[in-house]
Amino acid sequence: MSVDERFAVIQSGFNGDVTTAETGLTSPHSDVRASAIRSLHRLDALTTEHLLLAIADSAPEVRRTAAEFAAPFHDVSIKHLIDDADVFVAEMAAWSLGERTPVTDDELQQLIDRTTTHDEPVVREACAAALGSIGDERGLPAILIACADKPAVRRRAILALAPFEGEEVDAALAHALEDRDWQVRQNAEILVHPRD
């Protein structure tokens, strides 16, 4: 890694130097390429082309950074990154889709499916949270299933129930109030008895 190269790319995001930031995208060092994405975002100069390049990068750090900033770029598909070999890339892709307004039916379906089937609990957790953020009724059944998952997943799934109403939601919250995990109980309490 070239410390000087990375510093120059990071600095470019604060001094308006788009050229240096773009040059960083072709660096042989993955941390420089990731920093270039961040600098271009900071400069409001990030484009679809930049993201498409970064999402296909061989380095997880670069793919994760691209997913982080891809939410407003509807022409950049990131739903496949939920199945990325790197769990942190997958988690970030799920989070980013939760921030995308609106999501496509395919994106929503990917989140719904992976909330209950992904091998990694942290990704199931992120998918459940994204479904709660989106608030589409089609995601509710998957969130309810996630309410019976591992503790970390249950904690996020309970909070993801916030935009929904109905008997199933009430039953899930009532059950969560008796959960063996205190954080699940606390999150349910927040929804059942919100502070004024």
Side-chain angles (χ1 to χ4, degrees):
M1 179 192 80
S2 168
V3 175
D4 290 342
E5 181 186 10
R6 187 179 185 206
F7 179 78
V9 167
I10 292 172
Q11 188 178 43
S12 72
F14 294 95
N15 62 20
D17 185 357
V18 174
T19 300
T20 297
E22 287 186 322
T23 299
L25 292 173
T26 59
S27 170
H29 307 292
S30 61
D31 57 345
V32 175
R33 298 196 299 276
S35 294
I37 292 292
R38 293 187 179 281
S39 288
L40 288 166
H41 170 74
R42 187 174 291 113
L43 294 170
D44 199 26
L46 192 60
T47 68
T48 295
E49 290 70 27
H50 296 145
L51 287 171
L52 290 174
L53 180 69
I55 281 170
D57 199 279
S58 61
E61 178 183 7
V62 180
R63 297 195 302 276
R64 185 173 64 249
T65 305
E68 180 181 354
F69 297 117
F73 291 82
H74 292 270
D75 50 351
V76 177
S77 177
I78 56 172
K79 66 184 178 68
H80 66 284
L81 292 180
I82 296 177
D83 293 325
D84 195 273
D86 185 279
V87 66
F88 300 110
V89 174
E91 179 187 25
M92 183 59 75
W95 174 85
S96 189
L97 286 177
E99 298 296 305
R100 182 169 278 185
T101 307
V103 292
T104 66
D105 287 344
D106 285 345
E107 290 167 340
L108 181 66
Q109 190 56 52
Q110 182 86 334
L111 288 169
I112 290 170
D113 183 72
R114 297 310 186 266
T115 295
T116 59
T117 66
H118 202 284
D119 290 339
E120 294 290 345
V122 69
V123 180
R124 298 197 301 274
E125 176 186 344
C127 288
L131 289 176
S133 178
I134 293 166
D136 191 300
E137 289 287 341
R138 290 173 289 176
L140 178 57
I143 296 172
L144 290 169
I145 292 171
C147 288
D149 203 319
K150 293 179 180 294
V153 181
R154 296 200 305 273
R155 292 168 199 153
R156 292 286 288 276
I158 289 299
L159 292 177
L161 292 173
F164 303 100
E165 296 179 345
E167 292 182 3
E168 287 183 308
V169 174
D170 293 341
L173 290 172
H175 186 74
L177 288 171
E178 305 297 326
D179 197 276
R180 61 185 178 275
D181 183 270
W182 70 268
Q183 288 176 290
V184 173
R185 297 194 303 272
Q186 183 180 60
N187 288 351
E189 183 71 26
I190 290 169
L191 295 186
V192 173
H193 301 293
R195 293 180 179 176
D196 296 328

